[in-house]
């Protein structure tokens, strides 16, 4: 059955809430429409005007996601990528392979968007506080084991040499949920990340005391020009972190974000690590560590598996990466292996 994002994916409750209109049928783009990226005024998060808190749409340049509150008390998510966009409209394909018809966008004012498809129009309002803090509908456990060449027992954070708001550490898994081969709306990260905050004092911290979250791709509320600024917005749910030897184990649940319901063995993934350590000190302050800042000269250290692009999840085997192929000198980011389980 063909899926249309307004008439089907958002379900009958949305039509009953808003109803149809006498708008012109826009199932195909007008013949004078040329292919063009979606215009910046349409990008961002919008919620259904007649059902605030129950239905959202997140529009990006390459992809979009629909979120709908279900009767069972959770959110379901439907990710789409654009087959073609026309500046103020698009044709899209759902992750399950079904296509939509042409959808026309019209900005009534800066906070009101109308989307028309097959003669039906729904009105959405700008959502400046979009924050996915509601449970997804599935409940499987996702375990990511990341083996590195070396992991110190503690990490020094909020270093004076690091500018405020810079990411000091980032480790985890990038998920190309919508299968479009890039980081776009509809994709997720499951990772540890620490940002230098203003006025925070330098401190040594155990890895287990850092935070692990699921993050989704969104847009900044403050844009300059036509290019969107991609940001990561975290869920309020926190995963667990365990350190054993040189292996970090991150454990999440599909309830942590609705888009995790689409995670399967076909999902393209990439393991990634990053350490930003400007002005590395020379003293040996990590007892028993083989590697450390005394061995480094670079500010930035990072590694990916695979080195470029993504690869499908293989739940049956560990995926390995050559030792010493990281950028920068730090062995703390050098990925040796990644193992993903969905139970």
């Amino acid at each position: 059955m063909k899926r249309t994002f307004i008439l089907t994916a958002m379900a009958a409750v949305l039509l009953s809430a808003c109803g149809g209109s006498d708008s012109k049928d826009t199932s195909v783009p007008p013949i004078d429409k040329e292919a063009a990226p979606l215009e910046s005024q349409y990008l961002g998060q919008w919620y259904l005007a007649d059902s605030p808190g129950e239905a959202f749409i997140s529009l990006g340049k390459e992809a979009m996601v629909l979120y709908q509150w279900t009767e069972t008390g959770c959110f379901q998510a439907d990710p789409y990528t654009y087959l073609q966009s026309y500046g103020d409209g698009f044709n899209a394909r759902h992750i399950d392979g079904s296509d939509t018809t042409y959808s026309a966008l019209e900005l009534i004012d800066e906070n009101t968007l109308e989307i028309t498809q097959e003669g039906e129009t729904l009105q959405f309002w700008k959502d400046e506080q979009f924050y996915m803090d509601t449970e997804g509908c599935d409940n499987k456990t996702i375990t990511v084991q990341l083996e590195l060449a070396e992991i110190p027992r503690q990490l020094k954070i909020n270093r004076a040499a690091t500018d405020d708001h810079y990411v000091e550490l980032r480790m985890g898994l990038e998920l190309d949920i919508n299968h479009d081969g890039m980081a776009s709306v509809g994709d997720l990260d499951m990772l540890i990340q620490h940002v230098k905050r203003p006025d925070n004092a330098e401190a040594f911290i155990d890895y287990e005391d850092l935070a692990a979250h699921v993050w989704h791709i969104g847009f900044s509320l403050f844009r300059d020009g036509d290019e969107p600024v991609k940001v990561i917005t975290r869920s309020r749910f926190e995963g667990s972190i365990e350190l054993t030897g040189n292996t970090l184990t991150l454990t999440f649940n599909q309830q942590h974000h609705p888009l995790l319901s689409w995670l399967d063995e076909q999902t393209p993934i990439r393991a990634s690590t990053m350490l930003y350590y400007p002005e590395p000190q020379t003293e040996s302050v990590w007892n028993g560590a083989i590697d450390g800042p005394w061995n480094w000269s670079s500010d930035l250290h990072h590694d990916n598996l695979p080195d470029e692009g993504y690869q499908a999840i293989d739940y049956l085997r560990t995926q390995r990466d050559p030792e010493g192929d990281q950028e920068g000198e730090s062995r703390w980011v050098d990925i040796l292996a990644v193992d993903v389980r969905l139970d």
Side-chain angles (χ1 to χ4, degrees), residues 129-196:
Q129 302 298 325
F130 185 81
Y131 191 79
M132 182 53 63
D133 61 354
T134 307
E135 293 183 358
C137 296
D138 289 336
N139 195 30
K140 290 184 177 180
T141 297
I142 304 162
T143 304
V144 180
Q145 289 189 326
L146 193 62
E147 181 186 354
L148 304 178
E150 184 179 350
I151 302 181
R153 299 305 94 187
Q154 290 187 317
L155 181 76
K156 193 173 186 179
I157 60 172
N158 301 318
R159 297 181 63 248
T162 305
D163 291 336
D164 290 342
H165 309 296
Y166 272 61
V167 176
E168 293 186 301
L169 175 78
R170 189 174 187 268
M171 293 187 173
L173 202 65
E174 302 171 15
L175 309 173
D176 185 17
I177 296 290
N178 59 27
H179 297 244
D180 67 352
M182 65 183 78
S184 60
V185 167
D187 292 337
L188 297 174
D189 288 347
M190 298 189 301
L191 49 83
I192 301 169
Q193 180 166 296
H194 184 269
V195 178
K196 167 74 179 295

